[in-house]
């Protein structure tokens, strides 16, 4: 055999091996654990399977034909509250019933830290395939249902001077809007159809484009503003300096202008709401990627002040991510909190609301939380692409498994009609669901349901002190056994 033939055979063998390696690396990692078992208060956490090339299973958005709609839970009715919107994401219902909607996409800015050419190209491909590519509309629109028939018949562009807006909050004639890089306050009275005057900058934020949504929530007394900011990376691979001011929830005091980190170690917190039982802050969180289709579950959790949830070093309290190169803080697992409720791996939870007085989804869905799951891009089979209900017990704790409220977004043919993004209560008690890729706001209601009663706030007396100190002596009550 000639040398040329030997070289040719060697090259061919190398190409076959390379093709085989590429084929193996690009095969989607299929889930092995039943999806229901990776949800709830005690999810099954399988063995991590670190991926060099991520599993990519994106459902191409194809839109809804005229007259078509998602599938509601039994007894509920779904209709179109508004349509023809350019990528609607977040919503805010004002006290007079007007609904504000942020039309927005990711900002066209460079991500911080070390850049990886391949990762950037993959991300651009994913955005295009998921229907999220393109210039941001950068608008906040006002939708008004003047004849109260469950469909918005008036539409106004409230403002255009934004940069990838997402967070919306209103109180005391002030409208707060969070761009990807800052929070602004506008003077705005209910009923007005435009924003006038010059906005006041409240605070700067770490900018996008990764995890660029910056969602807002006012405290019940409107004295403090809470701002959710996602990470710039998956597991800190851009360097932890790039994560400064990210993967956390800020608390901003509107009177003093001071701010503090309220909760940290949250890879990508999104929806925020106050528990009607305890008054605690709760949030939805998108967990890390590229550990396989069964890991890591996204979650719903309370956020006590000062809470730490472990990102990027650990997940679910004490599971170490061996891929993280950044030095680990001391005593990390000792003070890391365990999330309250798993929503399932890669479902991408965004919008969050709790049941409240006046809602009309019926008795079955009157004591819990409702979450919009935007849908997975890296799980086989896909997960999310739905709106779910999580029941809470009488003490204000989540229980059971997520219950589907609105489904039918996935076609089963590798495509999706739309992607549920945000949830908000309409003034008449219906649930509004934004569908960003379809440009629709859906309205969900039980037409036979009476307005739900308010959930009673839990109250209790403070625990008495267990030990009183007097000088150098400690008194433990009647059963004092301390030695002098």
């Amino acid at each position: 055999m000639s040398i040329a033939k030997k070289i040719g055979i060697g090259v061919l063998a190398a190409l076959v091996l390379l093709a085989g390696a590429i084929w193996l690396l690009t095969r989607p990692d299929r889930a092995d654990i039943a999806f229901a078992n990776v949800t709830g208060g005690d999810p099954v956490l399988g063995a991590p399977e670190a991926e060099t090339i991520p599993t990519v299973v994106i459902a191409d958005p194809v839109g809804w034909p005229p007259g078509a709609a998602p599938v509601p839970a039994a007894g509920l009715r779904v209709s179109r509250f508004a349509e023809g919107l350019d990528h609607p994401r977040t919503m805010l219902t004002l006290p007079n019933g007007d609904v504000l909607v942020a039309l927005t996409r990711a900002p066209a800015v460079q991500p911080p830290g070390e850049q990886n050419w391949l990762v950037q190209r993959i991300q651009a491909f994913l955005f295009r395939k998921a229907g999220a590519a393109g210039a941001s509309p950068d608008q906040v629109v006002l939708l008004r249902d003047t004849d109260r028939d469950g469909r918005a018949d008036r539409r106004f562009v409230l403002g255009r001077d934004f940069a990838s807006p997402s967070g919306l909050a209103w109180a005391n004639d002030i409208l707060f809007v969070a761009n990807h890089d800052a929070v602004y306050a506008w003077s705005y009275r209910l009923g007005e159809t435009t924003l006038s005057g010059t906005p006041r900058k409240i605070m700067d934020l770490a900018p996008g484009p990764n995890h660029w949504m910056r969602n807002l929530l006012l405290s019940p007394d409107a004295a403090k503003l809470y701002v959710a900011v996602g990470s710039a990376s998956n597991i800190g691979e851009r360097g932890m300096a790039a994560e400064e001011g990210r993967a956390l929830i800020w608390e901003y005091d509107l009177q003093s202008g001071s701010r503090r980190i309220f909760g940290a170690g949250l890879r990508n917190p999104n929806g925020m709401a106050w528990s009607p039982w305890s008054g605690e802050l709760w949030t939805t969180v998108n967990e890390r990627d590229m550990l396989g289709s069964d890991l890591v579950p996204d979650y719903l959790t309370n956020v006590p002040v000062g809470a730490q949830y472990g990102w990027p070093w650990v997940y679910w309290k004490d599971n170490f991510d061996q891929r993280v190169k950044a030095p680990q803080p001391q005593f990390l697992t000792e003070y890391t909190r365990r999330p309250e409720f798993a929503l399932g791996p890669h479902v991408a939870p965004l919008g969050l609301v709790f049941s409240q007085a006046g809602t009309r989804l019926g008795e079955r869905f009157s004591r819990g939380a409702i979450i919009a799951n935007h849908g997975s891009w890296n799980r086989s089979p896909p997960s999310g692409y739905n709106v779910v209900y999580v029941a809470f017990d009488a003490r204000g704790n989540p229980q059971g498994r997520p219950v589907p409220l609105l489904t039918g977004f996935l076609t089963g043919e590798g495509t999706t009609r739309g992607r549920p993004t945000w949830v908000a209560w309409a003034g008449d008690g219906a649930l509004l669901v934004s569908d960003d890729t379809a440009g629709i706001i859906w309205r969900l209601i039980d037409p036979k349901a009476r307005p739900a009663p308010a959930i009673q706030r839990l109250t209790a007396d403070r625990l008495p002190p267990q030990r009183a100190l007097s000088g150098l002596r400690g008194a433990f009550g009647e059963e004092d056994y301390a030695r002098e």
Side-chain angles (χ1 to χ4, degrees), residues 11-21:
V11 170
L12 181 62
L15 290 174
V16 169
L17 288 173
L18 179 61

Side-chain angles (χ1 to χ4, degrees), residues 473-483:
R473 300 183 60 184
F476 291 82
E478 294 180 0
E479 298 181 357
D480 183 5
Y481 54 85
R483 299 292 184 264

Side-chain angles (χ1 to χ4, degrees), residues 28-70:
D29 170 76
R30 192 164 183 84
D32 296 319
I33 303 173
F35 184 80
N37 293 338
V38 199
T39 66
D42 189 22
V44 175
L45 301 180
E49 298 181 15
E51 298 174 328
T52 303
I53 298 176
T55 294
V56 178
V57 183
I58 296 180
D60 295 326
V62 295
W64 296 89

Side-chain angles (χ1 to χ4, degrees), residues 280-357:
E280 285 184 300
L281 176 67
W282 284 67
T283 188
T284 57
V285 178
N286 290 207
E287 251 292 351
R288 68 203 67 209
D289 298 321
M290 297 179 67
L291 283 180
S293 291
D294 289 319
L295 287 176
V296 173
D298 298 331
Y299 58 87
L300 167 71
T301 193
N302 59 345
V303 186
V305 60
Q308 164 64 248
Y309 283 89
W311 182 89
W313 297 277
V314 298
Y315 57 90
W316 282 87
K317 171 64 177 174
D318 54 6
N319 296 273
F320 286 89
D321 192 330
Q322 302 297 334
R323 302 170 299 170
V324 179
K325 297 179 180 179
Q328 177 188 314
Q330 282 189 312
F331 312 114
L332 182 65
T333 55
E334 283 81 355
Y335 59 77
T336 296
R337 283 180 60 85
R338 188 177 189 274
E340 292 293 318
F341 191 89
L343 296 166
H346 311 302
V347 297
L350 297 180
L352 164 69
V353 292
F354 278 107
S355 303
Q356 63 184 43

